[in-house]
Amino acid sequence: MEKRTINPPFFCVNPKAYLYGEEALKLAKTADALAEKYSIDIFFTVQYADAFRIAQETKHLIITVQHMDNLNVGPGMGYILPEGLVAAGVQATFLNHAEHPVGVNDLVKIMKRAEELGILVIACADSIAEAQAIATLAPDVMVCEPTELIGTGKTSDASYMKQTNEAVKSVSPNTLVLQAAGISSAQDVRLAIESGADGTGGTSGIVCAVDPEQTLMEMVETVAAVHSEQREQRK
Amino acid sequence: MEKRTINPPFFCVNPKAYLYGEEALKLAKTADALAEKYSIDIFFTVQYADAFRIAQETKHLIITVQHMDNLNVGPGMGYILPEGLVAAGVQATFLNHAEHPVGVNDLVKIMKRAEELGILVIACADSIAEAQAIATLAPDVMVCEPTELIGTGKTSDASYMKQTNEAVKSVSPNTLVLQAAGISSAQDVRLAIESGADGTGGTSGIVCAVDPEQTLMEMVETVAAVHSEQREQRK
Amino acid sequence: MEKRTINPPFFCVNPKAYLYGEEALKLAKTADALAEKYSIDIFFTVQYADAFRIAQETKHLIITVQHMDNLNVGPGMGYILPEGLVAAGVQATFLNHAEHPVGVNDLVKIMKRAEELGILVIACADSIAEAQAIATLAPDVMVCEPTELIGTGKTSDASYMKQTNEAVKSVSPNTLVLQAAGISSAQDVRLAIESGADGTGGTSGIVCAVDPEQTLMEMVETVAAVHSEQREQRK
Amino acid sequence: MEKRTINPPFFCVNPKAYLYGEEALKLAKTADALAEKYSIDIFFTVQYADAFRIAQETKHLIITVQHMDNLNVGPGMGYILPEGLVAAGVQATFLNHAEHPVGVNDLVKIMKRAEELGILVIACADSIAEAQAIATLAPDVMVCEPTELIGTGKTSDASYMKQTNEAVKSVSPNTLVLQAAGISSAQDVRLAIESGADGTGGTSGIVCAVDPEQTLMEMVETVAAVHSEQREQRK
């Protein structure tokens, strides 16, 4: 599989384990329509069991799992086989999220497997030191978010965002930076991208919103709007 | 979801990570046809990402995952949400396989979640002491196999099988016993059931056979044949 | 090594990682003097690195570690070798504490190693189901404490204590039951033993007390006092 | 505690779990005498339970543990408290050995704790990619050894050693490189140091030798001899 190219600013909808089955599919379809309408690359994370179905029923989303294992075809009971993900339509995986930490050695091996299979890697770090260590492995995307902000509705402040962007890019210039901590409004989305993030996104800020579909729509619109403004400025 | 009732002798096809996608689906369809033809309950284990698809394209199989996590709807990144499995058509899960050991405390909690959701539990143990400890939790099915035999093509000998059957039933009379270590021929299947197993099955004995479909067919036929013979004898 | 015999009511001082080095040694010496004065069996848990020193400088304590690994003499980097513990004077180990959960399979194996080496096992469970599963392995002592009470200063209520005592003894009559959740005063100690516990003890209730030495003294005195009263009543 | 300065070429005796108690102490005393005689810095790894005793009975060794945990003074049952190690005389720790892998996030945090407490860190990697990721964290010493060579008695070949030395130094110039894979003779020791290693050492090559004390003596002598030769050449 050839690895998909990501065009920033991108967006990431990460429902974690908040949504599954029909509800996940419904939000995915909304995200899919938005990806098409605004020509924005949208990562959409799924429960493994929903991957095939959501991949079948959407066209533009980057179907993303929340972890995958260092496993080869063969024995290995109950782990996540990368080849099986690809066969189901998965194109990207998160790795080393604070809620699913990965060993250094495993991370190297899983990223090698992802490379072989054309799976995009979104690697997470929760300190600048950790971000720089992982950046040496040149993941496609890095998430730099202080663990203590996850799920609080408080964005990383602008200076932290700038600092982490630079820390990652200085080690791995081609790695895109996703700033997704505490994003719960279109305004947070704007701030993240204006602070230099290549992408942004959310979990509870979307799925726990009064109207998740509407919130998602406003966020993706904002990504597109900031993108236009930035292009204008560059002229 | 109401938990499905299992009628022994049952069979279990456990492709672990040997098969996925199209190949897994193909073997599943064969197993499905055999389940119907012989009226045998067949557990068929899948990669999580194949669960929905295989559930959609088969009618008789008990779609089974190889592990699931102690996770509730909400945060939790990259773990296996039981509710998501049910939504995808999963009806059973293995737990505590030697290749995926589970903490005592987690096992208790995951089994509670399975109970709430009507998911059948196939719990594994690799010693009699471990089997008896787990039997107190009354899993639907227990697998008692000495770790050292897994994947060797050598069946547990008859006396070990009898001993483990009794060990489990003495603690939990309603738990069915699956003897699946080293099953690689119809003859092994016969021996296991005649030794008192409620069910049997295989992994490498099937998926690594010269002709997996044929091997599976012969094995399930044998389950049905032994079943008939046993009914005759009871008359 | 022959396994030491425990005479209830016993006491357990479990400083976890609150104390180490000189401070741990000081409290251990106090406990040692109390064990002698009142002829009470006292388990005293240590950092591994303090085991030898505290064993050398005390005479009556049961030197106890807070976990040990399923490791044999040979390779294995950074794990806790049971033989090394025995050589340092350790006589008992906690296993499967809520803060250090152990796999079912590992628990069986570690308990086997403990048996071979004459190390007493204090196994923990945080629900009645888990306690009964573990009781089938016949640990020397079981701790039954609802996770949510650990460190709160709220004792398990009397009915919960009675229920867990019975649950354990019904499976393994010779296993002693330690009720140690939320013990922070001599009164809590009295209640636990009067509720049928074979032993009691504490962590934060002792080490975070205004005067840990004094608190420990009062608690052990109470164990001795209740013991005397119970002997009187039996006459 | 001030972190000890290491002067290359240094040596590392890593008995893993092969030795404990009296036997570990005996080899430690031999190593201690050699460290003094040849003025060579020798890391000597211990079972945690032996740390205090060996620290008390030796003068020159760098008492080293094989792992330590990300734990602070307080609760935390059965883990390795860094402060407790320091109190027992420990001056260094291995981290992330192939037999004890550590999460990326944990590694960052444990190394921060080591820094605070003046504990030297010997970090392990089993591929060049992993070595470079970890080198960004500037450990005091790095071990670069292909997992498949550990315990085989086959040295990493010279080109691999040169490659890993350069990979580490290019990221972290002050990190010393320990080449210790498959060292089982004085000749292997010579080759490793001549290939540019800052230090070398062994496990099974020493403890499983016919005469461990003699083997250790020859190895340390060789370290000293190569050191002299190198100083001569630089004149």
Side-chain angles (χ1 to χ4, degrees):
Chain A
M1 189 170 80
E2 206 175 340
K3 208 154 68 172
R4 187 162 159 173
T5 304
I6 302 305
N7 298 301
F10 63 85
F11 195 74
C12 177
V13 186
N14 179 17
K16 291 185 175 178
Y18 283 97
L19 302 182
Y20 60 90
E22 290 296 335
E23 273 194 287
L25 182 60
K26 191 178 159 219
L27 190 65
K29 284 179 173 173
T30 300
D32 194 46
L34 292 166
E36 182 172 26
K37 180 173 177 189
Y38 295 106
S39 292
I40 296 288
D41 284 331
I42 299 184
F43 292 91
F44 191 93
T45 81
V46 296
Q47 282 293 307
Y48 307 104
D50 288 327
F52 179 80
R53 187 182 188 187
I54 294 180
Q56 291 294 305
E57 303 211 19
T58 60
K59 282 190 185 165
H60 305 279
L61 296 180
I62 305 161
I63 305 300
T64 303
V65 288
Q66 299 169 20
H67 171 76
M68 72 180 198
D69 288 311
N70 174 27
L71 180 67
N72 291 299
V73 173
M77 189 78 180
Y79 295 99
I80 312 298
L81 179 68
E83 280 84 351
L85 297 176
V86 172
V90 170
Q91 296 183 300
T93 185
F94 267 80
L95 288 176
N96 196 46
H97 189 277
E99 293 168 7
H100 202 139
V102 170
V104 191
N105 188 287
D106 260 356
L107 184 64
V108 172
K109 289 182 179 162
I110 301 172
M111 285 181 66
K112 203 175 154 207
R113 299 237 57 213
E115 193 64 30
E116 290 163 5
L117 294 166
I119 299 173
L120 292 158
V121 167
I122 306 168
C124 304
D126 65 358
S127 66
I128 287 178
E130 191 181 356
Q132 290 198 301
I134 296 175
T136 65
L137 303 169
D140 301 288
V141 179
M142 277 214 69
V143 189
C144 300
E145 52 191 39
T147 309
E148 60 275 22
L149 293 187
I150 295 178
T152 60
K154 262 184 68 176
T155 48
S156 308
D157 67 24
S159 80
Y160 183 90
M161 285 197 264
K162 279 184 183 149
Q163 211 182 339
T164 53
N165 283 347
E166 284 159 22
V168 171
K169 305 276 187 184
S170 69
V171 176
S172 177
N174 295 323
T175 294
L176 300 175
V177 176
L178 167 61
Q179 297 279 10
I183 301 290
S184 57
S185 69
Q187 185 50 36
D188 294 336
V189 165
R190 172 171 289 276
L191 178 65
I193 298 177
E194 289 181 349
S195 299
D198 296 303
T200 188
T203 296
S204 53
I206 300 168
V207 299
C208 303
V210 177
D211 184 341
E213 319 272 318
Q214 176 65 25
T215 302
L216 174 57
M217 211 184 68
E218 291 168 11
M219 287 180 172
V220 176
E221 267 176 8
T222 303
V223 173
V226 180
H227 191 202
S228 292
E229 292 162 24
Q230 288 179 336
R231 271 180 307 198
E232 284 302 311
Q233 287 167 6
R234 284 196 205 104
K235 283 181 189 170
Chain B
M1 190 171 77
E2 204 174 340
K3 208 155 69 172
R4 187 161 157 174
T5 303
I6 302 303
N7 297 302
F10 62 85
F11 195 75
C12 177
V13 187
N14 179 19
K16 292 185 176 176
Y18 283 97
L19 303 182
Y20 60 89
E22 290 296 336
E23 273 194 286
L25 181 61
K26 191 178 158 220
L27 191 63
K29 284 179 174 174
T30 301
D32 194 47
L34 292 167
E36 182 173 24
K37 179 172 175 189
Y38 295 106
S39 292
I40 297 288
D41 283 331
I42 300 184
F43 292 91
F44 191 94
T45 80
V46 296
Q47 283 290 310
Y48 306 104
D50 288 326
F52 178 79
R53 187 183 188 187
I54 294 180
Q56 291 294 306
E57 304 211 19
T58 59
K59 282 190 184 165
H60 306 280
L61 296 180
I62 305 161
I63 306 300
T64 304
V65 288
Q66 299 169 19
H67 171 76
M68 72 180 201
D69 290 311
N70 174 26
L71 180 67
N72 290 300
V73 173
M77 191 75 180
Y79 294 99
I80 313 299
L81 179 69
E83 279 84 351
L85 298 176
V86 171
V90 170
Q91 296 183 301
T93 186
F94 267 79
L95 288 176
N96 196 44
H97 189 277
E99 294 168 7
H100 203 138
V102 170
V104 191
N105 188 286
D106 260 355
L107 184 64
V108 172
K109 288 182 180 163
I110 301 172
M111 286 182 65
K112 203 175 155 205
R113 300 238 55 214
E115 193 63 31
E116 288 163 8
L117 293 166
I119 299 173
L120 291 158
V121 167
I122 305 168
C124 304
D126 65 357
S127 66
I128 288 179
E130 191 181 356
Q132 290 198 302
I134 296 175
T136 63
L137 303 169
D140 301 288
V141 180
M142 277 215 70
V143 189
C144 300
E145 53 190 40
T147 310
E148 60 276 21
L149 293 188
I150 294 177
T152 60
K154 264 183 68 178
T155 48
S156 309
D157 67 22
S159 80
Y160 183 89
M161 286 197 264
K162 280 186 183 148
Q163 212 182 337
T164 53
N165 284 346
E166 283 160 23
V168 170
K169 305 277 186 183
S170 70
V171 176
S172 177
N174 294 325
T175 294
L176 300 174
V177 176
L178 168 60
Q179 297 280 7
I183 301 290
S184 57
S185 68
Q187 185 51 34
D188 294 337
V189 165
R190 173 172 289 276
L191 179 63
I193 300 177
E194 289 181 351
S195 298
D198 296 304
T200 187
T203 296
S204 54
I206 300 168
V207 299
C208 303
V210 177
D211 184 342
E213 318 273 318
Q214 177 65 24
T215 302
L216 174 57
M217 210 184 69
E218 290 168 12
M219 287 179 172
V220 176
E221 267 175 10
T222 304
V223 173
V226 181
H227 192 200
S228 292
E229 291 163 24
Q230 288 178 336
R231 271 181 305 200
E232 285 303 310
Q233 287 166 8
R234 282 193 205 106
K235 281 180 190 171
Chain C
M1 188 169 81
E2 204 174 342
K3 208 154 70 171
R4 185 161 159 175
T5 304
I6 302 304
N7 297 303
F10 63 84
F11 194 75
C12 176
V13 186
N14 179 18
K16 291 185 175 179
Y18 283 96
L19 303 182
Y20 60 91
E22 290 296 337
E23 273 194 287
L25 181 60
K26 190 178 160 220
L27 190 64
K29 284 179 173 174
T30 302
D32 193 47
L34 292 166
E36 182 172 24
K37 179 172 177 190
Y38 295 106
S39 292
I40 296 287
D41 284 331
I42 299 184
F43 292 91
F44 191 94
T45 81
V46 295
Q47 283 292 309
Y48 307 104
D50 289 326
F52 179 80
R53 186 183 190 186
I54 294 181
Q56 291 294 307
E57 304 210 20
T58 59
K59 282 191 184 164
H60 305 280
L61 296 180
I62 305 161
I63 306 299
T64 303
V65 287
Q66 299 169 19
H67 171 75
M68 72 179 200
D69 289 311
N70 174 27
L71 180 67
N72 291 299
V73 173
M77 190 76 181
Y79 295 99
I80 313 299
L81 179 68
E83 280 83 351
L85 297 176
V86 172
V90 170
Q91 296 183 301
T93 185
F94 267 80
L95 287 176
N96 196 45
H97 189 276
E99 293 167 7
H100 202 139
V102 170
V104 190
N105 188 287
D106 260 355
L107 184 63
V108 172
K109 289 182 180 161
I110 301 171
M111 286 181 65
K112 204 175 153 206
R113 298 238 56 214
E115 193 63 31
E116 289 163 7
L117 293 166
I119 300 172
L120 292 158
V121 167
I122 305 169
C124 305
D126 66 357
S127 66
I128 287 177
E130 191 180 356
Q132 290 198 301
I134 296 175
T136 64
L137 304 168
D140 301 289
V141 179
M142 277 214 70
V143 189
C144 300
E145 53 190 39
T147 310
E148 61 274 22
L149 293 189
I150 295 177
T152 59
K154 262 183 69 177
T155 48
S156 309
D157 67 23
S159 81
Y160 183 89
M161 286 197 265
K162 278 183 184 150
Q163 212 181 336
T164 53
N165 283 347
E166 284 159 23
V168 170
K169 306 276 187 183
S170 69
V171 176
S172 177
N174 295 324
T175 294
L176 300 175
V177 177
L178 167 61
Q179 298 280 8
I183 301 290
S184 57
S185 68
Q187 185 51 34
D188 294 336
V189 165
R190 172 172 290 276
L191 178 64
I193 299 176
E194 290 180 349
S195 297
D198 295 304
T200 189
T203 296
S204 53
I206 299 168
V207 299
C208 304
V210 177
D211 183 342
E213 318 273 320
Q214 176 65 22
T215 302
L216 175 58
M217 210 183 69
E218 290 168 11
M219 287 179 172
V220 177
E221 267 176 8
T222 304
V223 173
V226 180
H227 191 201
S228 293
E229 291 163 25
Q230 289 179 336
R231 272 181 306 200
E232 285 302 311
Q233 287 165 8
R234 283 196 206 102
K235 282 181 191 171
Chain D
M1 189 170 77
E2 204 173 341
K3 208 156 67 172
R4 185 161 159 175
T5 304
I6 302 304
N7 298 303
F10 63 84
F11 195 74
C12 176
V13 187
N14 179 18
K16 291 185 175 176
Y18 283 97
L19 303 182
Y20 60 89
E22 290 296 338
E23 273 194 287
L25 181 60
K26 191 179 158 220
L27 190 64
K29 284 180 173 173
T30 300
D32 194 47
L34 292 167
E36 182 172 25
K37 179 173 176 188
Y38 295 105
S39 292
I40 296 288
D41 284 331
I42 299 183
F43 292 92
F44 191 94
T45 79
V46 297
Q47 284 292 308
Y48 307 103
D50 288 326
F52 178 80
R53 186 182 187 187
I54 294 181
Q56 290 294 306
E57 304 211 20
T58 59
K59 281 190 185 166
H60 306 280
L61 296 180
I62 306 160
I63 306 300
T64 303
V65 288
Q66 300 170 19
H67 171 75
M68 72 179 201
D69 289 311
N70 174 26
L71 180 67
N72 291 299
V73 173
M77 189 78 179
Y79 295 99
I80 313 298
L81 179 69
E83 280 84 351
L85 297 177
V86 171
V90 170
Q91 296 183 302
T93 185
F94 267 80
L95 288 177
N96 196 43
H97 189 277
E99 294 168 6
H100 203 138
V102 170
V104 190
N105 188 286
D106 260 355
L107 184 64
V108 172
K109 289 184 179 161
I110 301 172
M111 286 181 64
K112 204 175 154 205
R113 300 238 54 215
E115 194 62 33
E116 290 163 6
L117 294 166
I119 299 173
L120 291 159
V121 167
I122 305 169
C124 304
D126 66 356
S127 66
I128 288 178
E130 190 181 355
Q132 291 199 301
I134 295 175
T136 64
L137 303 169
D140 301 288
V141 179
M142 277 215 69
V143 189
C144 300
E145 52 190 41
T147 310
E148 59 275 23
L149 293 189
I150 295 176
T152 61
K154 263 183 70 177
T155 47
S156 309
D157 66 24
S159 80
Y160 183 90
M161 286 197 264
K162 278 185 183 148
Q163 213 182 336
T164 53
N165 283 346
E166 284 159 23
V168 170
K169 305 277 186 183
S170 70
V171 176
S172 177
N174 295 324
T175 294
L176 300 175
V177 176
L178 167 61
Q179 297 280 7
I183 301 290
S184 57
S185 69
Q187 185 51 36
D188 294 337
V189 165
R190 173 171 289 275
L191 179 63
I193 298 176
E194 289 181 350
S195 297
D198 296 305
T200 187
T203 297
S204 54
I206 300 168
V207 299
C208 304
V210 177
D211 184 341
E213 317 273 318
Q214 176 65 24
T215 302
L216 175 58
M217 210 184 69
E218 290 167 11
M219 287 180 172
V220 176
E221 265 176 11
T222 303
V223 174
V226 180
H227 192 201
S228 292
E229 292 162 25
Q230 288 178 337
R231 271 180 307 199
E232 284 303 309
Q233 287 167 7
R234 282 195 206 105
K235 282 182 189 171

